[in-house]
């Protein structure tokens, strides 16, 4: 084998701990060394190596190629019994006799010295042109006596050890990742997701509102990734940097980089990092956004193995960036949510005996986390209050959260309090952005562009507003959701309260709230027209989406004495949400009715009609009074009533639930003789009322025509009523046919979002299913109807449904249960809608003794409504269990 020349790969070996071994057992060491020498000599020769020096306990060999040198090292390590460390480097060296001299030898020697027994290390110079060799990058390392750091790799192969202590180098501590004093709670899935993203993107920006947990998440991510970055993980805190131009200097100082003379600092950083495999964490970039973005872009462009994780309240918007919005902590899972877990963890740290086991405390903490929008900082500050407050006391003070969450712990962070966290973002806005943020704080639960424009100053251009909203979204102060072809914006409650506070300070609150109320009053009138058409579903969706805003607009108008605006909202919204079985706006109408009467407002008849819906809350007589008052005003030219027939149909409904069914029939008969809307509701009312007074044939005779008339009118609410009326008309004589129509009605109600009719038709279908269909389906329908009516506060239909359930239970031979349920239904006259009830009562009396019947009925009547509902649902489940067991009579 000729001695290699030119570019030579040098392999240096050394026995680790040889001195200790000689001292412990010289004879054994002598024998082991002989075996070591023989093995290495033979292995080097077998792989075309030139053994040119012995160094006591080691050897130096030269190879014409790095591949031969690595193959020799791997082969020897597999068979050596002594712990031998090996290092190699490649380069041009001077041959002198049987020896070599030059820089490659020094590098090989220093690389070897950095390793441990059993480890094979390779300088980057020996890495070139290697294929099929497993190399683990250990990063750029400072080796003794070498001016510049060199990159070192560890050779891996079957049969070789893989785990070794840290290299013995002259490096300063790699990285500055700060240790965390508190535990990391939740977000394990987020960390896993981000680890995967880092594998695909070299630049990740974590965005989100202040206090949401961006910094802590970036630190946890960096810690999880640290092992993959041999040149260290560096945390660069930018929050204290007041002058953006100082960012490159701060970064250079943190990384220990000395800028090159005459070269921009950013380029010096990029050049130095080019040979490193490192992770840089830039924290809080938002206030130095442009400079930070330029520096990061330069680093990414000039390096191949540097990975950057940045945190900022808005994305940096550079080419390589993958922006990832940090979500608030989960609050939906209640006590099992990550938000509550964080609260408990921090509360326990603040007060060692804190335990969350009391149901009231659990509810309070869950509400705290929900109202704090899952913002980690806010939750931690609230938890710190457990030192001197109870969960309920903290919850009850959240309306003043910026004072409440103003401390409780000592920190050196730039946002020690919730107010500081939000103020930090607010201070970075320009005047136009601040104005938009403040004005949009009047929205109670989201808004769209049109609504935002409505509350803006008259001079604000819609396109300028769009730009400001987009900027606020980027800055994580407003959230945007684009679904169904339209975008809806919303604020976290903490941001909204902050904006509202500043709006008040600027003395613009009254003007903006006036615009808000006026806009939603106008929208209410527009949506009323949509509701009263085949497009009703659109109006229902609007009311659902804007209900909180409608409530806020009504409340502000009422508080300011703007009765006209309040009336417009209350009167129309009460009707619009009737199909949804929401009756809160009925209370609005009743609240302002005295003032509206005193002012004799033009829309007073409409307000009376809306107020008459109180009949569903168990006040049918008052409903009659309101409807009759509306009718008296309708003829006057100075008033603006609803379409002809509204006051009549509401009066008829009120009479029905007051037990005056004959009067209901009279009113509906008169309505049915008119045209348009009056005819539709008159005929629908008759199909429901006639069977209850024994006039089934008449109801059947008009049932088909009623459906045709309702479909021709086009309003889905009245079509649902007509389908239900058909079922009622045919229930006693053609139950199967009636059940089919009720099932059709249930499908129609579900498709057109009519929960009111879903519940009503469910209770009618339940009666027929029990007698002529599937008994299990009947029980399911009874349960859903009872639950729906109870949640809505629709006590008149709840009573009627309980009465129908009593009929069902009696039919199955359960007279004792039927009597109790019947007793619970007796508090409302609406049970007269159940024509089968009188026969069922007679059967109960026949099955039970007079004393037992009276006692059981009294027991049911004494139950509060909520308790009666719980009892009824329990009976339904019990009966279903008996059905499954095959014991149903």
């Amino acid at each position: 084998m000729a001695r290699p020349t030119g570019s030579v790969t040098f392999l240096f070996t050394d026995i680790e701990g040889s001195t200790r071994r000689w001292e412990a057992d010289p004879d054994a060491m002598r024998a082991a060394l002989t075996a070591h020498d023989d093995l290495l000599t033979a292995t080097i020769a077998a792989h075309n190596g030139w053994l040119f020096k012995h160094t006591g306990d080691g050897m130096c060999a030269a190879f014409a190629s790095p591949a031969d040198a690595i193959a020799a090292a791997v082969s020897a390590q597999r068979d050596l019994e002594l712990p031998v460390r090996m290092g190699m480097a490649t380069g041009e060296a001077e041959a002198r006799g049987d020896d070599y001299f030059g820089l490659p030898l020094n590098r090989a020697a220093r690389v070897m010295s950095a390793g441990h027994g059993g480890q094979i290390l390779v300088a980057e110079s020996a890495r070139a042109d290697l294929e099929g060799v497993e190399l683990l990058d250990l990063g750029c390392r400072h080796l003794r006596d070498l001016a510049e750091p060199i990159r070192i790799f560890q050779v891996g192969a079957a049969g070789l050890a893989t785990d070794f202590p840290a290299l013995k180098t002259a490096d300063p501590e790699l990285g500055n990742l700060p240790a965390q004093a508190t535990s990391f709670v939740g977000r394990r899935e987020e960390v896993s997701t981000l680890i995967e993203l880092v594998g695909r993107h070299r630049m990740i920006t974590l965005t989100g509102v202040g206090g949401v947990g961006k910094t802590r998440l970036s630190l946890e991510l960096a810690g999880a990734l640290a092992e993959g970055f041999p040149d260290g993980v560096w945390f660069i805190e930018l929050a204290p940097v007041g002058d953006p131009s100082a960012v490159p200097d701060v970064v250079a100082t943190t990384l220990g980089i000395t800028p090159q003379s005459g070269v921009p600092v950013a380029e010096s950083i990029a050049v130095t990092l080019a040979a490193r495999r490192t992770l840089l964490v830039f924290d809080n970039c938002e206030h130095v956004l442009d400079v930070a973005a330029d520096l990061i872009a330069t680093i990414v462009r000039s390096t191949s193995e540097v990975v950057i994780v940045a945190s900022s309240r808005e994305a940096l918007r550079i080419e390589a960036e993958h922006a990832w919005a940090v979500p608030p902590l989960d609050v939906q899972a209640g006590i099992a949510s990550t938000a509550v877990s964080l609260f408990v963890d921090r509360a326990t740290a603040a007060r060692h005996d804190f335990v969350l086991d009391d149901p009231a405390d659990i509810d309070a903490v869950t509400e705290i986390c929900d109202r704090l929008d899952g913002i980690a900082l806010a939750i931690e500050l609230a938890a710190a209050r457990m030192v001197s407050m109870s969960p309920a006391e903290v919850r009850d003070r959240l309306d003043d959260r910026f004072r409440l969450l103003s401390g409780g712990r000592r920190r050196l962070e730039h946002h020690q309090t919730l107010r500081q966290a939000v103020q930090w973002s607010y201070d970075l806005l320009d005047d136009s952005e601040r104005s938009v943020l403040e004005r949009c704080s009047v929205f109670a639960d989201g808004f769209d562009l049109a609504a935002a424009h409505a509350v803006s100053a008259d001079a604000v251009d819609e396109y300028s507003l769009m730009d400001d909203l987009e900027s606020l979204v980027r800055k994580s102060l407003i959230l945007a959701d684009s679904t169904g072809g339209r975008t809806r914006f919303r604020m976290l409650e903490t941001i909204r309260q902050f904006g509202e506070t500043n709006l008040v300070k600027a003395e613009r609150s009254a003007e903006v709230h006036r615009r808000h109320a006026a806009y939603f009053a106008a929208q209410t009138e527009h949506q009323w027209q949509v509701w009263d058409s085949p497009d009703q579903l659109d109006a229902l969706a609007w009311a659902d989406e804007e209900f909180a805003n409608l409530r806020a607009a009504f409340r502000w108008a009422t508080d300011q004495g703007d009765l006209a605006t309040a009336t417009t909202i209350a009167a129309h919204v009460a009707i619009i949400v009737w199909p949804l079985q929401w009756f809160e706006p009925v209370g609005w109408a009743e609240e302002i009715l005295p003032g509206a009467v005193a002012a004799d407002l033009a829309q007073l008849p409409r307000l009376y009609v809306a107020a008459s819906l109180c009949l569903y809350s168990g006040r049918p007589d008052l409903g009659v009074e309101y409807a009759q008052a509306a009718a008296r005003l309708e003829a006057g030219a100075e008033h603006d009533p609803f379409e002809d027939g509204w006051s009549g149909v509401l009066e008829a409904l009120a009479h029905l639930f007051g037990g005056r069914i004959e009067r209901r029939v009279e009113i509906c008969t008169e309505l049915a003789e008119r045209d348009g809307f009056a005819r539709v509701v008159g005929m629908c009312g008759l199909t429901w009322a006639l069977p209850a007074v024994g006039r089934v044939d008449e109801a059947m005779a008009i049932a088909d025509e009623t459906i045709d008339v309702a479909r021709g009118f086009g309003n889905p609410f009245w079509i649902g009523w007509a389908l239900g009326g058909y079922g009622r008309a045919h229930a006693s004589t053609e139950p199967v046919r009636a059940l089919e129509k009720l099932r059709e009605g249930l499908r129609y109600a579900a498709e057109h979002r009519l929960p009111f009719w879903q519940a009503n038709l469910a209770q009618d279908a339940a009666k027929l299913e029990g007698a002529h269909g599937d008994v299990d389906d009947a029980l399911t329908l009874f349960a859903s109807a009872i639950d729906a009516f109870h949640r809505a506060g629709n006590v008149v239909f709840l009573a009627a449904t309980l009465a129908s359930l009593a009929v069902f239970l009696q039919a199955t031979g359960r007279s004792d249960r039927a009597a109790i349920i019947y007793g619970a239904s007796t508090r409302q006259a609406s049970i007269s809608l159940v024509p089968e009830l009188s026969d069922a009562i007679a059967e109960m009396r026949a099955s039970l003794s007079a004393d037992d019947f009276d006692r059981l009925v009294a027991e049911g009547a004494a139950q509060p409504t909520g308790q009666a509902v719980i009892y009824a649902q329990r009976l339904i489940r019990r009966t279903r269990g008996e059905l499954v067991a095959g014991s149903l009579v």
Side-chain angles (χ1 to χ4, degrees):
M1 169 65 188
R3 181 171 60 182
T5 59
S7 180
V8 178
T9 298
F10 295 96
L11 170 65
F12 280 54
T13 73
D14 181 58
I15 300 173
E16 186 176 46
S18 61
T19 301
R20 183 179 67 254
R21 292 174 182 275
W22 280 112
E23 291 290 337
D25 191 342
D27 293 338
M29 182 57 184
R30 188 175 294 107
L33 183 60
T34 299
H36 160 274
D37 291 350
D38 291 345
L39 176 61
L40 272 177
T41 299
T43 303
I44 291 170
H47 290 83
N48 305 315
W50 178 272
L51 180 60
F52 63 89
K53 183 185 293 186
H54 285 266
T55 59
D57 295 335
M59 295 183 179
C60 303
F63 294 81
S65 74
D68 286 344
I70 289 176
V74 171
S75 177
Q77 285 287 24
R78 286 172 174 160
D79 295 330
L80 284 168
E81 296 182 359
L82 290 173
V84 177
R85 53 188 177 181
M86 301 180 182
M88 61 188 75
T90 298
E92 299 281 347
E94 180 183 353
R96 293 182 185 176
D98 292 333
D99 205 350
Y100 290 89
F101 296 90
L103 184 58
L105 284 83
N106 294 335
R107 288 188 172 180
R110 295 296 174 246
V111 170
M112 177 203 68
S113 298
H116 302 274
Q119 192 173 28
I120 305 171
L121 299 179
V122 179
E124 187 169 22
S125 59
R127 181 191 180 198
D129 301 325
L130 287 176
E131 294 183 3
V133 177
E134 180 184 337
L135 295 176
L136 175 64
D137 188 351
L138 301 181
C140 287
R141 299 307 180 95
H142 289 84
L143 303 178
R144 186 167 53 88
D145 299 331
L146 298 184
E148 297 293 335
I150 64 173
R151 184 171 292 279
I152 298 176
F153 298 86
Q154 175 183 299
V155 176
L160 300 188
T162 57
D163 295 327
F164 298 98
L167 296 183
K168 294 177 283 186
T169 65
D171 292 296
E173 182 180 356
L174 291 178
N176 66 341
L177 202 60
Q180 298 301 299
T182 58
S183 59
F184 184 73
V185 178
R187 296 207 188 276
R188 297 299 175 187
E189 290 186 9
E190 287 95 329
V191 172
S192 297
T193 298
L194 288 168
I195 288 174
E196 293 180 5
L197 286 175
V198 168
R200 301 195 301 270
H201 306 277
R202 288 180 54 213
M203 199 264 151
I204 303 288
T205 301
L206 305 184
T207 65
V209 69
V212 77
K214 300 184 297 296
T215 297
R216 187 57 192 276
L217 182 57
S218 67
L219 288 171
E220 193 69 17
L221 172 63
L225 294 169
E227 289 187 3
F229 293 92
D231 293 316
V233 178
W234 300 89
F235 182 74
I236 303 163
E237 172 60 87
L238 297 180
V241 180
D243 181 3
S245 64
V247 168
D249 293 321
V250 170
V251 175
T253 300
T254 302
L255 298 178
I257 294 173
T258 301
Q260 302 174 28
S261 178
V263 177
V265 177
E267 292 186 19
S268 293
I269 293 171
V271 168
T272 304
L273 292 175
R276 298 185 186 181
R277 187 176 181 188
T278 188
L279 172 64
L280 305 181
V281 180
F282 287 82
D283 193 45
N284 293 295
C285 300
E286 55 273 345
H287 65 303
V288 290
L289 196 70
D290 292 339
V291 176
D294 289 343
L295 173 59
I296 291 172
T298 299
I299 294 173
V300 173
R301 186 171 55 249
S302 305
T303 65
S304 61
E305 296 191 87
V306 173
V307 172
I308 293 173
V309 173
S311 72
S312 175
R313 301 189 188 187
E314 63 175 303
L316 276 64
R317 289 181 286 167
I318 60 178
E319 185 175 352
E321 179 183 40
H322 180 89
W324 195 84
V326 177
L329 294 171
D330 166 52
V331 297
Q332 300 303 315
I335 192 172
S337 69
T338 53
V340 172
S341 297
L342 178 65
F343 185 100
V344 173
D345 182 87
R346 301 305 191 252
T348 304
R351 200 185 83 202
H352 69 88
D353 62 343
F354 179 84
V355 177
L356 189 62
D357 54 7
D358 181 81
D361 285 346
I362 292 172
D363 290 343
V365 169
T366 301
E367 184 176 345
I368 288 169
C369 294
D370 185 31
R371 291 176 61 187
L372 292 177
D373 308 305
I375 296 177
L377 172 64
I379 291 170
E380 290 187 353
L381 291 169
R385 287 293 187 187
M386 294 302 97
V387 171
S388 58
M389 300 176 72
S390 71
E393 289 171 332
V394 170
R395 176 200 60 200
D396 295 343
R397 288 165 174 79
L398 284 180
D399 286 341
D400 196 8
R401 65 187 61 190
F402 291 109
R403 293 183 62 189
L404 174 70
L405 308 180
S406 61
R409 60 182 182 181
R410 298 178 63 185
R411 302 184 63 164
L412 299 178
E413 296 179 1
H414 64 284
H415 45 255
Q416 299 177 19
T417 71
L418 186 61
R419 180 182 296 279
Q420 288 173 317
V422 180
Q423 187 75 47
W424 172 268
S425 293
Y426 183 79
D427 289 342
L428 298 177
L429 303 178
D430 62 31
D431 290 343
S432 178
E433 291 168 338
R434 288 175 185 168
S435 177
V436 170
L437 183 71
E438 291 167 0
R439 288 175 178 274
C440 289
S441 70
V442 300
F443 294 108
D445 186 23
F447 56 95
D448 57 20
L449 178 62
H453 192 253
V455 302
S456 300
D458 292 330
V460 173
D461 174 76
E462 187 177 73
Y463 288 94
S464 298
L465 176 62
M466 289 171 58
D467 290 340
D468 286 332
L469 285 171
E470 181 180 331
S471 180
L472 291 168
V473 170
R474 288 200 308 266
K475 291 175 170 63
S476 305
L477 291 170
I478 288 181
L479 306 177
D481 177 25
S482 296
T483 55
R486 54 190 296 268
T487 300
R488 188 165 180 83
F489 305 95
R490 69 181 181 89
M491 292 184 190
L492 297 179
E493 178 60 18
T494 296
I495 303 300
R496 194 201 66 76
Q497 285 193 22
F498 185 89
E500 188 175 43
T501 299
N502 282 280
L503 186 67
V504 171
K505 288 180 180 178
E507 299 183 350
R508 293 197 299 267
S509 179
E511 172 216 347
V512 178
H513 275 285
R514 180 190 61 77
R515 288 175 175 269
H516 176 271
Y519 173 76
F520 280 101
Q523 285 295 299
T524 298
E525 289 193 292
H526 168 69
Q527 292 295 333
W528 165 252
Q529 301 300 323
V530 178
W531 185 92
D532 199 21
S533 77
D535 296 326
Q536 185 178 88
L537 188 59
D538 293 339
L540 296 176
W542 170 83
D544 186 11
E545 189 170 64
E546 300 292 5
F547 193 76
N549 278 314
L550 292 165
R551 180 194 288 122
F554 167 79
R555 186 54 54 203
W556 184 87
T558 301
D559 292 345
Q560 298 301 310
D562 185 356
L563 289 175
T565 298
T567 294
T568 297
I569 295 172
H572 297 90
V573 173
I575 304 294
I576 289 173
V577 300
W578 182 6
L580 300 176
Q581 202 161 211
W582 295 353
F583 298 115
E584 179 186 336
V586 178
W588 304 350
E590 290 191 277
E591 177 185 343
I592 63 172
L593 193 55
V597 171
D600 195 24
L601 296 178
Q603 290 189 341
L604 184 57
R606 299 189 180 205
L607 191 65
Y608 268 125
V609 168
S612 68
L613 286 169
C614 70
L615 64 93
Y616 289 109
S617 65
R619 294 175 293 147
D621 292 343
L622 189 56
V624 169
E625 292 181 20
Y626 289 151
Q628 289 176 343
R632 288 193 295 271
L633 296 174
E634 288 175 357
E638 68 275 17
H639 291 110
D640 179 18
F642 283 131
E643 189 174 2
D644 177 46
W646 270 101
S647 59
V649 71
L650 265 299
E651 181 185 352
L653 282 169
H655 282 304
L656 175 70
F657 294 118
R660 297 176 292 275
I661 301 180
E662 291 286 359
R663 179 57 184 144
R664 159 70 178 265
V665 171
E666 292 174 5
I667 294 174
C668 287
T669 299
E670 192 271 330
L671 289 171
E673 294 172 354
R674 302 183 196 172
D675 296 324
F677 172 77
R679 182 166 184 247
V680 174
V681 294
M683 295 186 70
C684 287
L686 286 173
T687 57
W688 278 64
L690 288 172
V693 294
R695 297 164 64 179
V696 174
D697 291 343
E698 295 177 58
M700 291 175 60
I702 65 170
D704 284 305
E705 183 184 3
T706 300
I707 292 177
D708 291 340
V709 169
R711 291 192 187 280
F713 192 71
N715 185 311
F717 189 59
W718 311 127
I719 294 172
W721 194 3
L723 292 170
Y726 186 100
R728 291 229 166 189
H730 291 79
S732 60
T733 58
E734 297 180 289
V736 175
R737 185 176 177 183
L739 184 55
E740 289 177 356
K741 190 61 70 173
L742 288 171
R743 288 170 177 163
E744 177 187 340
L746 285 168
R747 291 191 298 272
Y748 183 87
E751 292 169 1
H752 291 79
R753 197 174 183 182
L754 305 171
F756 181 88
W757 292 124
Q758 283 181 275
N760 273 284
L761 273 59
Q763 62 119 353
D764 281 352
K767 293 188 293 185
L768 294 178
E769 289 281 11
H772 306 283
D774 188 314
V775 178
D776 189 57
D777 284 350
L779 293 169
T780 299
L781 290 166
F782 271 128
S784 65
I786 289 171
D787 179 64
F789 288 137
H790 179 53
R791 283 187 290 105
N794 189 342
V795 297
V796 291
F797 268 120
L798 173 61
T801 305
L802 290 174
S804 294
L805 177 60
V807 173
F808 171 85
L809 291 171
Q810 176 57 40
T812 66
R814 291 163 172 77
S815 300
D816 52 347
R817 302 178 195 175
I820 295 174
I821 294 298
Y822 163 64
S825 75
T826 55
R827 55 175 59 91
Q828 294 294 328
S830 56
I831 60 176
S832 60
L833 281 170
V834 185
E836 308 89 351
L837 184 60
S838 58
D839 290 341
I841 293 172
E843 293 173 7
M844 292 178 213
R845 290 184 179 277
S847 301
L848 301 166
S849 68
D851 289 343
D852 284 344
F853 175 80
D854 292 340
R855 174 180 58 79
L856 292 170
V857 171
E859 179 183 334
Q863 292 180 345
T865 299
Q867 184 177 337
V869 167
I870 293 173
Y871 178 73
Q873 297 287 25
R874 187 165 63 243
L875 283 186
I876 289 171
R877 290 192 297 272
R878 182 177 174 184
T879 303
R880 177 177 285 109
E882 293 169 351
L883 170 65
V884 172
S887 60
L888 190 65
V889 175

